[in-house]
């Protein structure tokens, strides 16, 4: 589930930053959306916004992934298309 969520975050950050950032109250896009570390940082920010904190102040990425995917499926991130026109 985390892999699917990370792919979704990477795609949304790249092509739909405005709706994604407004939903999760993120301020600035990552430097390089193709860098896995930047995508992890975005998922951690999503997890913090949704209260996915575990002991030690770490973010539960599995729970954050589930939340992100549920909101994506429910249409709470707005209209989007995962298909690219050719």
């Amino acid at each position: 589930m985390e892999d699917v969520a990370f792919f979704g975050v990477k795609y949304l950050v790249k092509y739909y930053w405005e709706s994604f950032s407004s939903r999760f109250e993120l301020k600035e896009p990552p430097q390089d959306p193709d860098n896995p570390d930047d995508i992890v940082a975005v998922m951690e920010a999503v997890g913090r916004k949704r209260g996915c904190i575990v002991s030690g102040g770490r973010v539960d990425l599995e729970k954050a992934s589930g939340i992100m995917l549920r909101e994506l499926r429910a249409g709470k991130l707005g209209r989007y298309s995962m298909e690219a026109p050719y």
Side-chain angles (χ1 to χ4, degrees):
M1 179 167 60
E2 287 179 48
D3 291 338
V4 174
F6 277 72
F7 175 81
V9 167
K10 178 180 173 181
Y11 187 85
L12 292 169
V13 162
K14 230 177 186 178
Y15 300 107
Y16 297 98
W17 173 251
E18 292 299 319
S19 61
F20 184 78
S21 63
S22 67
R23 177 68 187 167
F24 294 109
E25 301 172 6
L26 304 174
K27 298 199 187 289
E28 56 188 63
Q31 296 288 332
D32 180 12
D34 292 321
N35 182 353
D37 292 334
D38 287 348
I39 299 303
V40 169
V42 171
M43 281 300 293
E44 287 177 343
V46 168
R48 276 190 219 93
K49 291 290 182 182
R50 296 296 187 258
C52 302
I53 307 295
V54 293
S55 63
R58 294 179 302 122
V59 175
D60 184 350
L61 291 176
E62 184 176 349
K63 187 174 180 181
S65 296
I67 289 170
M68 197 285 297
L69 288 174
R70 273 192 298 280
E71 292 193 14
L72 182 69
R73 289 181 192 135
K76 294 181 179 179
L77 296 175
R79 298 185 69 150
Y80 63 90
S81 174
M82 299 293 262
E83 295 181 25
Y86 292 101

